[in-house]
Amino acid sequence: MENFVVIGLKYNGKNVKRRTSGFAKEFLEENKESNCIYCNCELNAENATADHIIPISDGGNNCQVNLVVCCQDCNNERGNMDFSTFISIKKNTRYKRDFI
Ligand SMILES: [Zn+2]
């Protein structure tokens, strides 16, 4: 996997009330031919979702810096799993699938 920097944001106060539903759509409009950050599948208007790096349940907020765009399947699969744990699981799966 390419090197990348992840910035998650934890908010120690009242959570920012911002809807995340439009985030994936806006992201796709600005970044055409994007891929899922976890499984690398191609993203489109149907499968793209916004995922929280730090889950809301763990004190994460809806700021853009806490959001990544991934496919619906990965979003469901991750649930509230830690971001770095999940991405390393997916990375291993991906490499196995690609090279074995
Ligand atoms: Zn995915």
Side-chain angles (χ1 to χ4, degrees), residues 36 38-41 71 74:
C36 172
Y38 301 123
C39 72
N40 209 34
C41 75
C71 73
C74 287

Side-chain angles (χ1 to χ4, degrees), residues 4-77:
F4 63 95
V5 177
V6 173
I7 305 167
L9 190 65
K10 221 164 179 173
Y11 193 69
N12 298 317
K14 209 173 164 201
N15 207 345
V16 178
K17 293 276 182 204
R18 189 180 298 167
R19 293 190 315 139
T20 57
S21 53
F23 180 75
K25 196 169 163 272
E26 280 170 29
F27 180 87
L28 275 183
E29 280 166 9
E30 287 166 21
N31 306 276
K32 294 194 169 40
E33 294 176 23
S34 294
N35 298 76
C36 172
I37 189 172
Y38 301 123
C39 72
N40 209 34
C41 75
E42 232 171 82
L43 293 173
N44 55 52
E46 277 78 51
N47 72 354
T49 61
D51 190 32
H52 294 89
I53 294 171
I54 300 172
I56 294 291
S57 59
D58 196 26
N61 74 14
N62 286 338
C63 276
Q64 200 162 322
V65 73
N66 192 36
L67 294 171
V68 290
V69 177
C70 69
C71 73
Q72 183 72 60
D73 288 348
C74 287
N75 200 332
N76 293 345
E77 202 182 324

